[in-house]
Amino acid sequence: QVQLVESGGGSVQHGGSLRLSCAASKDTYAYAWMAWFRQAPGKEREGVAVRHTGYGGTYYNDSVKGRFTISQDNAKNTLYLQMNSLKPEDTAMYYCASDRTAIRGVLRAESYHYWGQGTQVTVSS
């Protein structure tokens, strides 16, 4: 069965930290592009960070570079997003996504076939 389940969202003040987790099934995790996207109400879904679970390459949206870190734990089939120095602009629903090739671009939502249901992140000022 295909499964992606996000957790770790919550409400924090400006400057706080959160660690998001994406628990995946083996068929969506191994040797795949796995990404974090976010979407605020009325805005387009945007790529936050992506990592290839086999190759190890990583890419970040410029708006989070230096503040967020994407990582993986192969033993648990889990993808993480460590978010530090959070800003109100980071408030959004955060989604985990997976695709074998990400053929339309690794930070483009159109590239991803499998999606989780999302976890809410709210950063107050």
Side-chain angles (χ1 to χ4, degrees):
Q1 293 183 345
V2 175
Q3 181 179 348
L4 291 172
V5 181
E6 303 96 333
S7 62
S11 298
V12 298
Q13 292 185 326
H14 181 276
S17 297
L18 287 171
R19 190 192 195 195
L20 305 184
S21 298
C22 173
S25 56
K26 193 79 170 183
D27 58 344
T28 57
Y29 178 87
Y31 296 99
W33 292 102
M34 292 197 68
W36 290 99
F37 287 80
R38 66 186 181 186
Q39 187 168 23
K43 297 187 181 298
E44 296 290 320
R45 188 168 296 189
E46 66 174 354
V48 177
V50 59
R51 181 176 180 88
H52 194 277
T53 58
Y55 175 74
T58 60
Y59 299 90
Y60 294 91
N61 188 305
D62 286 343
S63 68
V64 307
K65 196 172 297 181
R67 299 188 297 121
F68 292 10
T69 303
I70 190 169
S71 61
Q72 66 188 78
D73 185 337
N74 292 346
K76 298 180 179 179
N77 293 333
T78 299
L79 184 76
Y80 300 98
L81 185 68
Q82 179 67 47
M83 305 186 294
N84 298 326
S85 301
L86 282 162
K87 305 174 181 179
E89 301 94 299
D90 297 316
T91 296
M93 185 73 76
Y94 282 71
Y95 298 91
C96 180
S98 176
D99 194 84
R100 185 67 62 191
T101 62
I103 195 167
R104 296 180 183 180
V106 297
L107 286 174
R108 297 185 64 182
E110 304 96 301
S111 291
Y112 292 84
H113 183 73
Y114 300 106
W115 292 85
Q117 293 185 328
T119 185
Q120 179 68 40
V121 171
T122 302
V123 186
S124 62
S125 59

